[in-house]
Amino acid sequence: MRLLTLAAAIGLAFGVNTAQAEPVNLTLSGGNPGGLWSLLGAGIDRAVKQSDPNSVVTYQATGGGFANIGLLGANRTDTGLVHNAEVKIALAGEEPFKAPVNNMRAIGYMYNWAPMHFFLAKSIADEYDIDSLDDLATAKAPVRIGVNRSGNITSNVALFMLEQAGLTKEAVEANGGRIVQAGANDQAELLKDGRIDIVTNGVFVLHSSFRAIDENNEVIVLDIPQNVIDATNARFGTQTYTIPGGSYSNQPNDVETSALGALLVATDQMEEETAYDLTKALIANVDEIKAVHGSMKALTPELMADQDVLPFHPGAERAYREAGLLK
């Protein structure tokens, strides 16, 4: 009896140190079913299950990053995938938001390698001696520029980069061109049919849509002036990225540009221990996320911790510090 009593006393005294963490049970707002973000959702779920088989991350399809920020802002989801550029817009309270969204806290980067591409029909490039974005403005070529639909973040970024290079909507139209808003697949078809001259988008190098553009059209990849890259990164929280030379048929040299990234984001309402357990599981089991798609092979715990767009959730920050990933 004395041994049992002593054991119970020790358990009470040290229970705080021996207690098991609670399973992670969260919702994750992503994007379209079948897209990369849905695959990331599955990878995140597998990562937390590796640390605790009773944990679960339930993926819910949404309209994408802007929609997810709306859900986070209203505390209607536990976590969401969002682009860094969307976060910057939300923090400033700019369209489509009516006021700043200040309750978001970062769990970590999922990727930061979705560079902005500007594909120009080679016939136009040769005729007007164009090889960079700012050449479009000085050459005054009557180009028809495809940008993504309103509401897609790559549309915001592309229009900003064009403006920084001297190509406002008014300047494009004054040169006899126009800006055409269309989805990525639609832009590819419009280029193939000769109805636009430029395709813009921000996804991974050699993404299937980019390969199709390169294979079905004679195009070049425009260089981006450094001042445009710097202004874009400051405006949207994007990062400088190099598209390696030879990635596309008529692109012999490296092209520097700005790259979008995606973050896993929670809110300041998430319990610190929950954010800690989630982040710790992602660090320990990052291979589960990397395995969802070949484009995710560059993901590392170091990258997850390498963001400054948002304050880290205190639980996430603690996990990174314990892992030696933050100082």
Side-chain angles (χ1 to χ4, degrees), residues 94-108:
E94 299 171 0
E95 289 292 334
F97 304 102
K98 296 181 179 179
V101 181
N102 295 316
N103 70 332
M104 296 181 291
R105 299 293 181 267
I107 300 298

Side-chain angles (χ1 to χ4, degrees), residues 39 50 77 81-82 85 105 158 165 199 201 242 265 303 312 327:
L39 298 178
Q50 283 292 319
T77 189
L81 290 167
V82 300
R105 299 293 181 267
V199 169
N201 204 7
T242 301
V265 173
L303 175 75
F312 278 110
K327 296 180 179 180

Side-chain angles (χ1 to χ4, degrees), residues 131-152:
D131 60 20
S132 69
L133 202 59
D134 54 344
D135 287 342
L136 285 172
T138 57
K140 299 189 181 298
V143 287
R144 298 158 297 175
I145 305 173
V147 301
N148 223 314
R149 295 188 183 96
S150 179
N152 185 298

Side-chain angles (χ1 to χ4, degrees), residues 103-137:
N103 70 332
M104 296 181 291
R105 299 293 181 267
I107 300 298
Y109 255 136
M110 293 290 99
Y111 60 81
N112 65 349
W113 52 82
M116 291 299 299
H117 289 57
F118 290 78
F119 291 101
L120 171 65
K122 191 172 183 299
S123 58
I124 298 289
D126 291 343
E127 181 179 354
Y128 289 90
D129 194 24
I130 296 170
D131 60 20
S132 69
L133 202 59
D134 54 344
D135 287 342
L136 285 172

